[in-house]
Amino acid sequence: MMDGGPTGDMDNGDGDPAATQVPTSEMDLDELRAEIEDIDRELVELIARRTYVADTIAQVKSERGMSTTDEEQEARVMDRAGENAKQLEVDDNLVKAIFRLLIELNKIEQRENR
């Protein structure tokens, strides 16, 4: 009897845990780790891009004598992040926490550069 568990493991049915194997049709661990590495690189590139734009916004705010904090804009960003997460079936609380961190770090940098 073949039984796929939550990790996709296959049991040959003899009750021997050592006989549990991942099907050979799945990507191997090195390939999966390489994919994560590529995704991580893309995430860092996107964070760098977002930070650059946030820094540009900070310069505009400074030139116009505007406050570093814009709570209405932050709320819009958080709402948008939550909606995007839900559309992609990702935990919206996790995504909002990441965006909250990004916003707070940008605000700290903006205050330090004034």
Side-chain angles (χ1 to χ4, degrees):
M1 171 182 180
M2 302 297 275
D3 180 33
T7 59
D9 292 344
M10 303 297 286
D11 182 349
N12 67 3
D14 67 2
D16 180 7
T20 302
Q21 312 173 11
V22 175
T24 56
S25 63
E26 291 185 23
M27 296 177 74
D28 79 3
L29 193 56
D30 290 336
E31 290 174 321
L32 292 168
R33 287 180 173 156
E35 185 171 352
I36 289 289
E37 186 176 330
D38 290 342
I39 292 167
D40 290 349
R41 187 176 303 107
E42 290 174 31
L43 284 171
V44 172
E45 289 172 2
L46 289 171
I47 291 168
R49 185 172 149 202
R50 188 183 196 288
T51 300
Y52 172 79
V53 173
D55 289 346
T56 305
I57 290 170
Q59 289 173 350
V60 171
K61 285 180 176 181
S62 179
E63 291 168 5
R64 296 180 182 177
M66 298 171 68
S67 172
T68 302
T69 302
D70 182 345
E71 292 178 10
E72 290 179 12
Q73 176 61 19
E74 289 177 27
R76 286 191 293 271
V77 170
M78 297 301 289
D79 289 344
R80 186 173 56 238
E83 287 302 314
N84 288 337
K86 287 177 185 174
Q87 288 176 5
L88 296 171
E89 297 181 359
V90 177
D91 181 348
D92 61 318
N93 289 320
L94 171 63
V95 170
K96 285 180 179 182
I98 292 167
F99 272 81
R100 173 59 52 209
L101 180 60
L102 289 170
I103 290 169
E104 291 304 318
L105 292 173
N106 286 140
K107 286 174 16 180
I108 290 168
E109 189 171 329
Q110 287 176 20
R111 283 192 291 268
E112 288 176 353
N113 291 333
R114 280 200 160 194

